[in-house]
């Protein structure tokens, strides 16, 4: 089954698909396996269809990996998090298994996705769709009265989502004081986990994201600021990934996501940026704490957050077992942006490594041997995921760059109001955010970071997908 792609009369994204070798077509053997997928663990599942799960995803999404329910108890909060059990639907060593290892992850383009799995599985039999009983890896995580994980477990279960929600709708319900009963405690959970992140020294960079959307006559770019619900929902996945990492590290086998500590020079650069912008950096305060205290939507905040991306470079994957132990201490396996060991386990329909990490956790918690098909794959996964992560990032950027160039192609020489996200430093060009139309581009002329300025468009080339601006300071 092929997704009907959105079309716009002025340009499309087929050239980008071709450039990166992306295709939503699967061969016949792969399709047969997806269409005939059956639960390989049907006899051992517990029935938890009594829990009224809900999903929270962007409108129109069908590849629903996660369903959540948060319960408030006398001791704290209990999070039930159901994750699509893809490991029970993919035959090890089969055509579908091999094809997903080639793809690595789902790629999202403005006019349609290029899925990791055929849609018959990722958007149907494996998806946690509303009103459907589905097989899942069910995480149950108990929090204490300050939001720290006190106990956790994972097991294979049958679950059913009772409602398909989206971020804007959940935010509106929260603001109105009428949240869905299944996530009535989401705001309390989110607040507790944000405080826990601060205690860990986590670094949360909340830059609005550029998104290409159809506008009826073509494509345009909008900024998608992160709402409170976005952050709270992300904390559920982060919490689960931290528990999964702990399970695997304690067992001496698995795959974790790593990020080295920020280089000292990156922290010093951020401190210099703060000084230039007039942002206070108290003695002894961590970068994460300073960033967390910044007011939303201020030009200086955008500039600080843009500069802070330099703190989060070098993310990787580490696979290990008892012969290649990660026993050098948690510092060697920690994700410094999160401030703790962390693993990807919550998006197996869209990301390959999650299937294998989940399988390890299920086996360890059950006290059984990790399946051979999972242990044999672990050493290969870091390279696969590095490659697909890099490609996904380049595809995202290419789609935005192409749209920016088309939107501006007839406006070279015009001036625009902009906010300087990053000033020129060393070999790095300055970067500005133009609000109308919404574009981000390099800028010559050394504009001051965090300031509102006027810039002139000097380049908008659709072939190279490049735009550029120039800045000239106003002199008296």
């Amino acid at each position: 089954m092929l997704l009907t792609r959105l079309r716009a009369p002025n340009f499309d994204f087929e050239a980008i698909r071709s450039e990166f070798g992306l295709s939503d077509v699967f061969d016949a053997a792969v399709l047969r396996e997806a269409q005939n997928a059956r639960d390989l663990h049907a006899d051992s599942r517990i029935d938890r269809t009594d829990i009224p799960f809900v999903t929270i995803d962007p409108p129109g999404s069908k590849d629903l990996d996660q369903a959540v329910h948060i319960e408030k108890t006398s001791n704290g909060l209990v999070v039930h998090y159901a994750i699509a059990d893809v490991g029970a639907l993919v035959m090890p060593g089969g055509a579908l298994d091999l094809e997903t290892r080639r793809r690595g992850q789902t790629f999202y383009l403005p006019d349609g996705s290029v899925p990791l799995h055929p849609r018959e599985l990722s958007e149907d039999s494996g998806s946690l769709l509303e009103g459907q009983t589905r097989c899942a890896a069910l995480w149950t995580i108990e929090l204490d009265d300050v939001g720290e994980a006190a106990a956790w477990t994972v097991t294979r279960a049958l679950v059913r989502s009772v409602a398909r929600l989206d971020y804007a709708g959940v935010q509106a319900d929260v603001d109105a004081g009428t949240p869905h009963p299944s996530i009535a405690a989401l705001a309390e959970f989110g607040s507790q986990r944000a405080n826990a992140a601060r205690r860990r020294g986590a670094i949360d960079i909340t830059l609005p994201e550029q998104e290409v959307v159809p506008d009826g006559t073509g494509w345009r770019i909008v900024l998608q600021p992160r709402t409170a619900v976005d952050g709270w929902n992300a904390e559920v996945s982060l919490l689960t990934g931290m528990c999964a990492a702990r399970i695997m590290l304690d067992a001496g086998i698995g795959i974790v996501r790593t990020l080295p500590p920020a280089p000292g020079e990156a922290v010093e650069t951020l401190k210099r940026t703060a000084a230039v912008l007039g942002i206070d950096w108290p003695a002894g305060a961590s970068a994460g704490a300073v960033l967390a205290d910044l007011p939303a939507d201020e030009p200086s905040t955008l500039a600080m957050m843009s500069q802070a991306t330099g703190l989060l470079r070098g993310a990787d994957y580490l696979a290990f077992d008892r012969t290649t132990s990660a026993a050098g201490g948690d510092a060697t396996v920690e994700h410094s942006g999160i401030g703790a060991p962390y693993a990807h386990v919550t998006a197996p329909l869209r990301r390959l490594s999650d299937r294998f990490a989940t399988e390890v956790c299920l086996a360890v918690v059950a006290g059984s041997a990790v399946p051979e098909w999972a242990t044999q794959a672990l050493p290969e996964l870091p390279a696969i995921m590095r490659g697909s992560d890099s490609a996904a990032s380049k595809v995202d950027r290419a789609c935005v760059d192409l749209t920016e160039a088309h939107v501006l192609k007839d406006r070279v020489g015009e001036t625009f109001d902009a906010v300087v996200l990053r000033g020129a430093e060393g070999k790095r060009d300055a970067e500005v955010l133009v609000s109308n139309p919404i574009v981000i581009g390099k800028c010559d002329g050394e504009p001051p970071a965090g300031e509102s300025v006027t810039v002139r468009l000097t380049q908008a080339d659709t072939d190279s997908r490049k735009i550029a601006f120039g800045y000239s300071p106003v002199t008296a």
Side-chain angles (χ1 to χ4, degrees):
M1 180 176 67
L2 296 179
L3 177 70
T4 300
R5 293 186 191 143
L6 297 170
R7 295 291 183 184
N10 54 350
F11 70 97
D12 59 31
F13 301 91
E14 287 304 310
I16 293 173
R17 281 183 169 81
S18 177
E19 178 180 338
F20 289 93
L22 303 179
S23 173
D24 56 7
V25 176
F26 292 85
D27 68 29
V30 174
L31 285 174
R32 276 195 304 272
E33 288 191 14
Q35 292 162 353
N36 297 319
R38 297 292 181 270
D39 182 3
L40 301 175
H41 299 275
D43 295 338
S44 60
R45 287 190 191 279
I46 62 171
D47 188 338
R48 293 312 314 264
T49 54
D50 59 302
I51 301 175
F53 285 102
V54 299
T55 59
I56 308 174
D57 289 274
S61 297
K62 296 180 180 179
D63 49 350
L64 310 183
D65 293 281
Q66 311 130 1
V68 64
H69 178 272
I70 302 177
E71 176 185 358
K72 190 166 184 177
T73 71
S74 59
N75 297 322
L77 300 175
V78 177
V79 176
H80 299 290
Y81 206 35
I83 306 300
D85 191 357
V86 181
L89 300 175
V90 176
M91 184 65 67
L96 176 55
D97 183 19
L98 296 178
E99 178 64 13
T100 58
R101 297 189 198 207
R102 186 184 70 81
R103 294 181 177 233
Q105 63 185 274
T106 295
F107 293 81
Y108 293 94
L109 290 87
D111 56 351
S113 64
V114 179
L116 174 61
H117 304 87
R119 300 184 199 282
E120 288 85 348
L121 189 151
S122 62
E123 298 182 359
D124 191 358
S125 64
S127 180
L128 305 183
L129 298 168
E130 179 184 2
Q132 301 297 315
T133 299
R134 291 289 187 257
C135 59
L138 174 57
W139 289 86
T140 301
I141 305 172
E142 299 176 18
L143 304 181
D144 63 20
D145 58 359
V146 294
E148 297 289 354
W152 53 87
T153 189
V154 61
T155 189
R156 285 194 152 99
L158 292 175
V159 302
R160 183 183 295 120
S161 168
V162 300
R164 181 175 171 179
L165 310 178
D166 61 61
Y167 294 102
V170 173
Q171 187 68 61
D173 289 343
V174 169
D175 292 344
T178 57
H180 191 284
S182 295
I183 50 172
L186 180 61
E188 180 180 351
F189 166 86
S191 176
Q192 288 185 352
R193 293 305 297 168
N195 290 333
R198 187 168 183 143
R199 290 193 295 270
R200 296 192 310 271
I203 298 172
D204 186 15
I205 297 177
T206 55
L207 279 170
E209 294 184 2
Q210 288 176 287
E211 181 179 352
V212 180
V213 298
D215 69 356
T217 60
W219 303 95
R220 63 188 175 93
I221 297 174
V222 298
L223 282 184
Q224 295 289 5
R226 194 173 75 166
T227 65
V229 168
D230 291 319
W232 301 338
N233 194 55
E235 288 290 349
V236 182
S237 287
L238 289 173
L239 171 64
T240 307
M242 292 165 64
C243 294
R246 194 69 271 160
I247 288 171
M248 290 186 283
L249 288 168
D250 288 347
I253 183 169
I255 178 170
V256 293
R257 193 79 164 110
T258 63
L259 184 72
E265 57 268 27
V267 177
E268 291 305 314
T269 296
L270 188 62
K271 287 183 176 180
R272 288 197 299 272
T273 300
V276 168
L277 297 173
I279 293 172
D280 184 41
W281 191 306
S286 68
V290 172
L291 294 172
D293 285 338
L294 295 178
D297 300 327
E298 291 286 337
S300 59
T301 297
L302 291 175
M304 272 290 282
M305 291 292 182
S306 295
Q307 188 65 59
T309 58
L311 303 176
L312 303 180
R313 293 200 174 119
D316 204 353
Y317 296 84
L318 174 67
F320 56 93
D321 60 24
R322 293 168 187 84
T323 61
T324 60
S325 175
D330 283 359
T332 63
V333 298
E334 187 165 300
H335 190 294
S336 67
I338 295 170
Y342 170 70
H344 280 159
V345 291
T346 63
L349 290 172
R350 294 170 283 167
R351 191 170 49 213
L352 178 69
S353 60
D354 299 44
R355 167 160 51 108
F356 297 87
T358 295
E359 201 67 33
V360 173
C361 291
L362 285 164
V364 170
V365 170
S368 58
V370 178
E372 187 176 1
W373 61 263
T375 59
Q376 289 181 343
L378 287 176
E380 305 171 5
L381 293 176
I384 293 172
M385 295 312 301
R386 283 185 213 113
S388 66
D389 283 350
S390 176
S393 178
K394 291 175 182 176
V395 168
D396 289 345
R397 190 66 251 169
C399 291
V400 171
D401 288 347
L402 178 62
T403 305
E404 288 178 331
H406 270 279
V407 167
L408 292 172
K409 65 180 181 179
D410 297 323
R411 303 184 67 177
V412 172
E414 292 186 27
T415 58
F416 300 85
D417 294 332
V419 172
V420 184
L421 297 180
R422 237 187 331 242
E425 184 166 339
K427 296 182 179 179
R428 174 176 284 177
D429 295 322
E431 191 172 67
V432 296
L433 166 65
V434 172
S435 59
N436 186 23
I438 296 169
V439 297
I440 295 175
K442 293 180 179 180
C443 185
D444 295 327
E446 299 187 1
E451 296 292 322
S452 296
V453 298
T454 298
V455 296
R456 186 178 302 277
L457 181 66
T458 59
Q459 180 185 19
D461 181 20
T462 58
D463 291 332
S464 64
R465 304 193 293 259
K466 289 183 178 179
I467 64 170
F469 295 91
Y471 165 76
S472 297
V474 177
T475 56

